[in-house]
Amino acid sequence: YDPFTRQSNQFADADLARELSELTRAANRANATFYTIDPRGLVAGSDIDEQVDPVEWQNFVRKTQDSLRSIAEETGGVAVVNSNDFDKALKRIDAETSDYYVVGYYSSNPDPLKRTRKIEVKVKREGLNVWSRTSYTLRQPPQTR
């Protein structure tokens, strides 16, 4: 047991979460959607010639795929992980980005301290699929001196 390694991993995880959060907030403010693809395809195990603990390997794969999922889901996109069918995934991405509506509105919430706002998009017509962001975050107000 090495407490230093565990502590450095915890810091790395915290840094990763903070960076992902900042990235997705900036993407949402810029109205950018991420479609992430794991080029490894279906991941079974580490290379045979590498001596890697299977639990460590699974944790590594999970963490990298969770990062891809988080970036995509938080920006309204799709993550393509654990799949070898890239053709199907690229066709889906093309279909989602080819036909779309942009809906704008003004929030009725005047409180600038409540920076994260929830969004829910509904349609009345049956048989339609709606993909949208679930929230957005206001920019930090400029610091005055």
Side-chain angles (χ1 to χ4, degrees):
Y1 175 75
D2 182 0
F4 178 74
T5 302
R6 183 171 180 198
Q7 185 177 13
S8 66
N9 285 341
Q10 288 173 344
F11 285 126
D13 289 347
D15 290 341
L16 175 62
R18 182 179 42 77
E19 294 290 331
L20 288 176
S21 181
E22 288 177 20
L23 174 67
T24 57
R25 277 195 305 270
N28 285 326
R29 282 193 301 270
N31 199 31
T33 301
F34 286 115
Y35 293 86
T36 57
I37 299 175
D38 186 347
R40 295 174 295 193
L42 187 59
V43 180
S46 63
D47 291 338
I48 290 176
D49 60 340
E50 292 186 28
Q51 299 298 321
V52 178
D53 177 31
V55 173
E56 284 184 31
W57 172 252
Q58 288 302 321
N59 286 338
F60 168 75
V61 170
R62 180 190 47 76
K63 193 179 294 185
T64 57
Q65 290 178 344
D66 284 352
S67 297
L68 293 173
R69 283 185 189 100
S70 175
I71 292 169
E73 290 170 4
E74 293 295 320
T75 62
V78 174
V80 180
V81 297
N82 259 347
S83 174
N84 289 335
D85 194 350
F86 293 109
D87 188 49
K88 179 180 175 184
L90 292 172
K91 284 179 181 176
R92 178 179 176 185
I93 292 168
D94 179 57
E96 286 187 17
T97 58
S98 295
D99 300 313
Y100 58 90
Y101 291 96
V102 176
V103 178
Y105 69 96
Y106 290 101
S107 175
S108 59
N109 182 350
D111 187 354
L113 298 177
K114 294 187 179 180
R115 295 184 33 227
T116 299
R117 316 282 175 91
K118 302 283 183 213
I119 301 173
E120 184 177 7
V121 178
K122 296 179 183 180
V123 293
K124 291 183 179 183
R125 201 161 101 197
E126 291 188 30
L128 296 179
N129 295 318
V130 176
W131 288 274
S132 67
R133 290 181 174 80
T134 57
S135 67
Y136 71 95
T137 303
L138 299 174
R139 282 193 181 134
Q140 187 82 353
Q143 299 293 327
T144 57
R145 293 182 186 208

